[in-house]
Amino acid sequence: MPDTIIAQATPPGSSAISVIRISGDLTSSIAKAACKIEFPAPRRANLADYHTLSNDCIDQVILTYYQKEKSYTGEEILEICTHGNPLIVELIIKDLLQRGCRTAEPGEFTRKAFLAGKIDLTQAEAVAKIIKSKSQAELKIANNNLRGKLSDKLIEQQNHMLDLKAKLEAYVDFPEDDIPQKDKQLLLGEIYNVQSAISKLIQSAEETKSFKGKVKALLIGPPNAGKSTIFNSLIGSERALVSEEAGTTRDYINEDLFLDDFIVEIIDAAGIHNGEGHLEVAGIDKALSLIPEVDLLICILDSSLPYPSEFFSLVKLSETKKVLLVENKTDLERALQWNDQPFENTISITATNEDDIKDLKNYIGDILREYFNYDPKHSLAIEARHVIHLKEIEESLHKSKSLLEHGEDFELVSFELEEGMIAIGNIIGAKDNEDVLDSLFNQFCIGK
Ligand SMILES: Nc1nc2c(ncn2[C@@H]2O[C@H](COP(=O)(O)OP(=O)(O)OP(=O)(O)O)[C@@H](O)[C@H]2O)c(=O)[nH]1
Ligand SMILES: [Mg+2]
């Protein structure tokens, strides 16, 4: 029984064009029967009229045909590009179902690609990530995975482990005493190298863990320092109330700031001091409670005033996470003096000066790149699922090393290494684990 799946690959609703995807055995016969094209030129635009089974012409369409060998799914694919009217799409899908096709499950095209060996599991995961990425950084990282950069790293270590196993097995028939100490040391060194490569991956997963496309930055400082003015300048709108009266901002507000690589949720909150009024204290408490939740603290001081000791006695910034110190109001005469300026990242600005705000945005971007160890060419998306298996590999290497050091049978060491290799296989793609595949591909949209 031929199995052919179909799905609308573009969002529902009116648009300039819509795309319907077909993958499976019926593909060629549909091109011939519905579009009167017996041999559509592969990977070229083929102009055609789409006719239903009852020979009604529905739309003038463009067909793109992919042969098995060069298609996404490893099956013949036809993409029908129609005018973007939902009625046309509905009629064509209805007709395709009558011709024996069935509706695709979420992610089924990509699942087929994986099962056909066109992509591995890390690449399939990257496809879902690319579709959902919100920031450029997230997109670039997912693209690195799609290009196979994570798999390449893992395959490299898998080959080292295979090589190690071959060496160990070559010694299996030798009595322990006949194995030169030097050879044993070499084997231990090789295990160590694989172990440190795997640990590095776990560590980089840790570094990018908190980076989920959007990062949070809190504007914090004494009252009247210019936090709300800077907030408005950063987001380019008069969203926050600004006034010369101290204690203007009570409840916090947040807006997204779009930088080149990151989306930063900027939060403007109440100024920190020993407040007295009920509302004021509640606002200050709220601002302080936000500190642990954010990735970056942007501490704003009024440079025309002396050192705000009250603020620094209430907030120990040097003990917290990444801090960017902004000395604001440089258009006024400076009164701020430091005995020992504790902040590595400092910038002096006037909140209403466009160039200064541009510099501030660039600086925020630089700090975040460093904080997340983000490198557009090499950063990888290492997910929680990967980390579980990376830790299994680490464990197997650790045990192998200890068995070798304690003079255990090489056969046992080789057996232990095998466990690590299975774990690598689980990251790149164990085709027999239906549960993993179901949960992974269910996150996709239909038509991908
Ligand atoms: N001269 C000068 N005035 C500024 C600058 N930035 C802000 N101000 C003024 O400083 C005053 C306080 O600004 P806000 O942005 O409301 O300060 P805030 O830190 O949000 O104050 P609270 O919400 O009360 O904690 C306003 O009168 C602003 O116009 C600056 O760079 N230069
Ligand atoms: Mg304010």
Side-chain angles (χ1 to χ4, degrees):
M1 171 80 184
D3 185 35
T4 302
I5 56 169
I6 54 163
Q8 179 174 357
T10 44
S14 298
S15 54
I17 54 170
S18 292
V19 176
I20 299 164
R21 264 181 151 183
I22 309 173
S23 173
D25 303 322
L26 295 174
T27 301
S28 294
S29 63
I30 287 169
K32 188 176 165 192
C35 303
K36 319 286 184 217
I37 297 188
E38 187 155 2
F39 300 108
R43 307 209 283 172
R44 295 271 184 279
N46 295 269
L47 184 67
D49 285 328
Y50 189 99
H51 294 85
T52 61
L53 275 174
S54 48
N55 214 24
D56 290 328
C57 179
I58 300 288
D59 191 17
Q60 191 173 54
V61 299
I62 297 287
L63 302 181
T64 316
Y65 168 73
Y66 299 87
Q67 295 151 298
K68 266 185 194 174
E69 307 73 36
K70 292 187 175 166
S71 81
Y72 184 58
T73 56
E75 299 174 334
E76 281 184 296
I77 286 188
L78 192 66
E79 284 176 1
I80 306 177
C81 185
T82 71
H83 290 98
N85 177 345
L87 177 65
I88 297 175
V89 175
E90 189 189 320
L91 290 171
I92 293 182
I93 286 190
K94 205 165 130 194
D95 183 64
L96 289 169
L97 293 174
Q98 280 170 359
R99 290 178 191 272
C101 303
R102 71 170 171 85
T103 311
E105 301 290 334
E108 196 170 359
F109 288 86
T110 308
R111 189 175 186 143
K112 278 179 184 280
F114 166 66
L115 292 173
K118 297 265 172 180
I119 52 174
D120 67 34
L121 216 46
T122 68
Q123 291 170 307
E125 286 166 312
V127 172
K129 229 177 156 47
I130 283 172
I131 292 172
K132 288 181 187 157
S133 290
K134 294 215 163 56
S135 69
Q136 276 198 49
E138 214 185 353
L139 190 59
K140 286 177 191 167
I141 291 174
N143 259 303
N144 286 341
N145 280 39
L146 183 65
R147 304 277 168 284
K149 289 191 180 174
L150 175 58
S151 332
D152 288 351
K153 277 200 162 56
L154 292 166
I155 290 167
E156 189 186 336
Q157 298 316 318
Q158 199 174 34
N159 287 338
H160 285 314
M161 287 164 87
L162 202 64
D163 188 46
L164 262 162
K165 261 172 73 69
K167 284 182 186 156
L168 286 164
E169 276 155 27
Y171 282 122
V172 163
D173 297 331
F174 284 73
E176 164 76 16
D177 295 345
D178 288 355
I179 301 166
Q181 195 56 27
K182 190 173 73 99
D183 290 14
K184 230 169 136 176
Q185 284 309 322
L186 278 175
L187 289 171
L188 279 170
E190 285 175 33
I191 297 180
Y192 173 80
N193 289 342
V194 179
Q195 213 176 5
S196 54
I198 298 295
S199 305
K200 253 194 209 153
L201 288 175
I202 296 174
Q203 192 194 333
S204 69
E206 200 54 42
E207 280 160 0
T208 51
K209 191 171 65 183
S210 51
F211 173 57
K212 289 277 171 271
K214 195 158 154 179
V215 292
K216 283 187 179 182
L218 173 67
L219 303 181
I220 197 161
N224 236 10
K227 299 178 295 301
S228 300
T229 311
I230 291 177
F231 177 84
N232 288 343
S233 296
L234 282 173
I235 63 163
S237 112
E238 299 302 308
R239 169 84 171 76
L241 208 60
V242 167
S243 102
E244 58 204 16
E245 213 172 288
T248 304
T249 308
R250 298 286 170 97
D251 206 356
Y252 76 94
I253 53 171
N254 51 335
E255 282 289 334
D256 285 348
L257 168 66
F258 294 86
L259 298 180
D260 276 352
D261 284 316
F262 305 99
I263 301 173
V264 189
E265 181 185 333
I266 302 273
I267 309 168
D268 178 29
I272 308 292
H273 70 124
N274 280 315
E276 285 182 354
H278 175 66
L279 261 183
E280 200 177 9
V281 170
I284 294 167
D285 285 350
K286 184 73 217 175
L288 293 172
S289 74
L290 289 169
I291 294 179
E293 285 179 30
V294 301
D295 303 292
L296 174 67
L297 289 170
I298 303 178
C299 172
I300 295 158
L301 300 182
D302 181 340
S303 64
S304 72
L305 295 176
Y307 176 81
S309 45
E310 188 190 345
F311 168 73
F312 283 107
S313 70
L314 292 166
V315 189
K316 297 268 180 290
L317 288 177
S318 51
E319 289 168 15
T320 59
K321 54 193 78 190
K322 274 276 169 216
V323 179
L324 165 58
L325 175 72
V326 179
E327 296 177 344
N328 189 32
K329 309 195 188 183
T330 52
D331 54 321
L332 304 178
E333 196 176 333
R334 185 178 177 99
L336 179 63
Q337 298 291 343
W338 295 96
N339 287 335
D340 186 13
Q341 210 267 69
F343 302 105
E344 186 192 338
N345 306 301
T346 307
I347 186 169
S348 300
I349 66 162
T350 296
T352 45
N353 181 308
E354 268 183 39
D355 288 338
D356 285 1
I357 291 297
K358 219 183 264 171
D359 289 346
L360 175 61
K361 285 184 188 174
N362 289 337
Y363 204 171
I364 294 172
D366 289 345
I367 291 173
L368 292 175
R369 262 182 285 280
E370 190 202 308
Y371 181 47
F372 291 113
N373 208 356
Y374 166 66
D375 166 1
K377 284 211 170 71
H378 300 108
S379 291
L380 296 167
I382 302 172
E383 311 288 346
R385 184 186 80 80
H386 305 150
V387 173
I388 292 171
H389 297 306
L390 286 169
K391 289 195 169 155
E392 288 167 3
I393 306 166
E394 216 179 27
E395 172 79 7
S396 117
L397 291 162
H398 176 74
K399 282 189 185 157
S400 308
K401 222 166 72 186
S402 137
L403 288 169
L404 204 56
E405 277 163 350
H406 290 93
E408 296 289 348
D409 250 8
F410 277 17
E411 217 167 350
L412 259 182
V413 183
S414 168
F415 184 74
E416 189 51 57
L417 275 177
E418 183 71 36
E419 294 291 313
M421 291 177 65
I422 292 171
I424 292 188
N426 282 333
I427 301 178
I428 302 173
K431 296 197 166 77
D432 50 0
N433 195 333
E434 286 291 320
D435 290 345
V436 171
L437 298 188
D438 283 347
S439 80
L440 203 144
F441 289 105
N442 278 338
Q443 297 165 26
F444 280 68
C445 43
I446 291 179
K448 191 66 219 172

